[in-house]
Amino acid sequence: MELAPILHHWGYAAVFVIIFVESFGLPTPGQTVMVAAAVYASSGHLNVWLVGFLAFTAAVLGDNIGYWIGVRGGRRAVHRWGRYIFLTPARFASIERFFARRGSRVVVVARFFDGLRQFNGVLAGVTAMPWRTFVLHNALGAALWVGLWVPVAYFFGAQLVRSHAEWWLLGFGVVGALVTAGFYWRRERASQSRADEPVGVRGM
């Protein structure tokens, strides 16, 4: 897909719509358009902050649509059509058990992988992940995704278009992503430690 004409004519609307529909399963180039929009912003055609905000908002809203698709009809669809894509009841049960143990971590990193990026909301809904858990980790994953790719794309776009870089923007995005990831990792470790404590110890 040639993105320059789309961004030229539709601008922010293109960023929002393409990422939004990709996030609940439609095969559109969400990450590509986000990166292209950030590069486009480096030449002054778009505002990079607005690109990041719209990308984050579209990702979170789209994933929530996918979640409710999974909740409302996903399980029935899996049981009816899953065998045609080798998703047997036993395999689906295994996926459910995996999501019960590691689903929140999968949701956080899903945005960085094709396939998971499009269907992590649907899978979370199908496997009955609690909605509040999904919203929290999905928003964190979207923030990391946008916080990494938008500054990096803007930085290299600025290098190519204007021959100088907004180093502070790149640093802000990367440091922000790392700090958020570190906070999440510490929170998960603390939660896991509490879960591993014997019941008697936790009650003391």
Side-chain angles (χ1 to χ4, degrees):
M1 179 184 291
E2 180 58 50
L3 293 175
I6 295 174
L7 288 172
H8 179 73
H9 289 291
W10 297 100
Y12 301 114
V15 175
F16 183 89
V17 171
I18 290 174
I19 293 175
F20 176 72
V21 299
E22 181 196 46
S23 298
F24 58 83
L26 295 186
T28 58
Q31 181 165 294
T32 303
V33 78
M34 179 178 69
V35 169
V39 173
Y40 215 52
S42 71
S43 62
H45 294 292
L46 297 173
N47 181 288
V48 69
W49 295 103
L50 190 51
V51 167
F53 172 77
L54 290 173
F56 171 80
T57 303
V60 172
L61 292 178
D63 279 340
N64 274 272
I65 296 294
Y67 177 89
W68 289 110
I69 289 173
V71 168
R72 298 296 182 183
R75 182 175 293 273
R76 290 194 301 273
V78 166
H79 288 309
R80 183 172 182 180
W81 306 106
R83 63 183 182 276
Y84 296 110
I85 56 173
F86 306 105
L87 187 58
T88 63
R91 286 177 179 168
F92 179 66
S94 177
I95 291 173
E96 284 192 297
R97 289 192 297 271
F98 177 78
F99 253 75
R101 298 192 309 270
R102 301 283 188 245
S104 58
R105 298 178 186 179
V106 173
V107 170
V108 171
V109 303
R111 286 243 138 237
F112 293 91
F113 299 93
D114 284 327
L116 279 177
R117 182 165 60 251
Q118 290 82 1
F119 293 106
N120 85 93
V122 176
L123 285 172
V126 169
T127 56
M129 176 182 287
W131 180 70
R132 290 185 179 182
T133 300
F134 173 75
V135 168
L136 173 64
H137 293 86
N138 175 55
L140 175 58
L144 292 171
W145 181 62
V146 172
L148 178 63
W149 281 114
V150 168
V152 167
Y154 184 85
F155 165 73
F156 284 109
Q159 282 285 78
L160 294 173
V161 176
R162 295 200 304 265
S163 76
H164 71 277
E166 299 284 355
W167 282 97
W168 64 270
L169 183 59
L170 175 64
F172 177 82
V174 173
V175 171
L178 291 174
V179 168
T180 306
F183 172 79
Y184 169 75
W185 179 79
R186 290 184 63 182
R187 179 177 175 275
E188 286 291 304
R189 284 289 299 273
S191 177
Q192 187 63 43
S193 296
R194 288 194 299 270
D196 291 339
E197 287 179 358
V199 175
V201 173
R202 279 181 282 170
M204 294 177 62

